[in-house]
Structures are given as C-alpha cells and as structure tokens.
Amino acid sequence: MRRGLTKIQIICIVFLWVAFCVMMFVIPSGKSMTENIIIAIVSGIIIFVAVSKDNTRHRNRRRG
C-alpha cells in the first residue's frame, strides 16, 4: 500500500520548485520574461495540485 508524502518530502518538493524558478529568472536565456512567468505559474499549479491531491488522499485514509 502506498503512503502519502511526509511534510519533509513536501518541503523538499516546494524548495526544489523555488530553486527552479530562481534559476529560470537569474540565468539568462533566449526566452522572454513573459514565457518565464507563464512557465513558473503553470509549474506551480502542477506542484500545488499534486501535493494537495496526495495530502487529501492521506487525510481520507486516516479517517477511515
């Protein structure tokens, strides 16, 4: 049976996402600022949905 994410794992995922966003804006690339902002927002939504979905499943298993 698969267990949910722990708080440490969630913190690590969020930290890695923040590091990804910082690298996107600090390291120069051929992409425009608008593209970088859209990528950061979309990736943040994906991370948020995945973590909240796992957290909801974890809570539902504890209830019963």
Side-chain angles (χ1 to χ4, degrees), residues 9 11-13 24 28 32 34 45 49 54 58 60 62-63:
Q9 290 171 331
I11 290 169
C12 287
I13 290 170
M24 262 195 337
S32 68
T34 306
I45 290 171
V49 168
D54 183 76
H58 186 66
N60 288 341
R62 273 197 266 169
R63 284 187 194 161

Side-chain angles (χ1 to χ4, degrees), residues 7-61:
K7 289 182 182 182
I8 300 292
Q9 290 171 331
I10 292 171
I11 290 169
C12 287
I13 290 170
V14 171
F15 178 73
L16 288 172
W17 176 77
V18 169
F20 166 74
C21 289
V22 168
M23 286 182 353
M24 262 195 337
F25 291 109
V26 171
I27 299 173
S29 66
K31 295 183 179 181
S32 68
M33 183 63 79
T34 306
E35 289 177 8
N36 285 344
I37 292 171
I38 290 171
I39 290 170
I41 290 171
V42 170
S43 65
I45 290 171
I46 291 170
I47 295 294
F48 175 76
V49 168
V51 168
S52 65
K53 189 175 183 180
D54 183 76
N55 212 8
T56 303
R57 285 184 184 168
H58 186 66
R59 278 191 212 143
N60 288 341
R61 276 191 232 139

